[in-house]
Amino acid sequence: MRQRLTDRQLDTWQRLQVVTERLRRRVGADLRGRADLSEAEFTVLAHLVDTGGDARPTTCASAIGWDSSRLAHQLRRLERRGLVERHGGLRDARGSSIVITGSGRSAHRAAVGAHLRAAATWFGDALDDETLAGLDRALRALEEHMRRTDGDGPDDGRPEQYENEEHGR
């Protein structure tokens, strides 16, 4: 393991940080303006739609690359807005599930077009096929490195806070 980054690595790392943040802000602004959802809210709702409407919090967090505390915070916000609900043990007795509501499905449907337009504008329009293929290879290499270095998921080993929290409305 290297202790220092080369100048090129440091420059690329800093560019990745800046570009990623700018993309998130722009996509988030497009979603907020057109569908009244943040990028994070859309991410959770999209995962729930993709999984048939419900998921265990640990599974959801892992699938979208978040740790459990970040997901727990976002779920509390989505619950307050009536876009998701928590249900005890829909699939088994080991823990709770998060379930998208009818309002959540409607919000997701309203946001899909805005999300795809933002992705096309801020991402797709910028990359030709060769550049996209190179970026895809780089991202896959980073994913594999993280799997080898950290384990299977993004969680930091802390307990599933959302499943264990007292449910307060």
Side-chain angles (χ1 to χ4, degrees):
M1 184 157 103
R2 293 183 184 149
Q3 295 298 327
R4 289 179 54 104
L5 295 172
T6 66
D7 289 344
R8 183 175 183 188
Q9 288 170 326
L10 182 58
D11 181 56
T12 303
W13 170 252
Q14 290 170 334
R15 184 172 295 107
L16 174 65
Q17 300 302 304
V18 170
V19 169
T20 300
E21 182 57 30
R22 290 176 73 190
L23 280 170
R24 285 186 182 282
R25 266 196 336 263
R26 288 187 170 132
V27 170
D30 288 351
L31 282 171
R32 177 69 66 200
R34 294 183 178 147
D36 195 31
L37 285 178
S38 70
E39 183 265 338
E41 290 168 330
F42 178 80
T43 297
V44 174
L45 294 177
H47 176 72
L48 291 174
V49 167
D50 289 347
T51 60
D54 69 287
R56 298 225 24 224
T58 52
T59 304
C60 182
S62 180
I64 62 178
W66 291 1
D67 64 41
S68 58
S69 63
R70 180 176 181 194
L71 180 65
H73 170 75
Q74 198 56 240
L75 291 175
R76 284 189 297 272
R77 291 179 57 172
L78 288 165
E79 270 192 303
R80 280 194 299 271
R81 292 187 62 188
L83 302 177
V84 301
E85 295 175 344
R86 182 171 59 166
H87 292 230
L90 287 180
R91 294 190 178 149
D92 59 45
R94 292 180 293 165
S96 64
S97 289
I98 48 177
V99 180
I100 192 168
T101 64
S103 295
R105 285 186 186 279
S106 294
H108 175 263
R109 263 191 309 277
V112 167
H115 183 259
L116 292 175
R117 280 188 299 278
T121 298
W122 302 114
F123 182 78
D125 291 350
L127 305 173
D128 61 26
D129 287 343
E130 183 180 337
T131 306
L132 186 61
L135 178 58
D136 185 59
R137 282 191 305 277
L139 293 173
R140 288 176 189 276
L142 287 169
E143 282 179 324
E144 181 57 30
H145 176 72
M146 287 187 285
R147 261 191 289 283
R148 282 192 319 268
T149 304
D150 251 0
D152 288 334
D155 208 338
D156 57 6
R158 292 181 287 180
E160 180 70 36
Q161 292 178 4
Y162 190 76
E163 287 185 17
N164 298 325
E165 285 178 350
E166 195 64 37
H167 183 60
R169 290 184 191 236

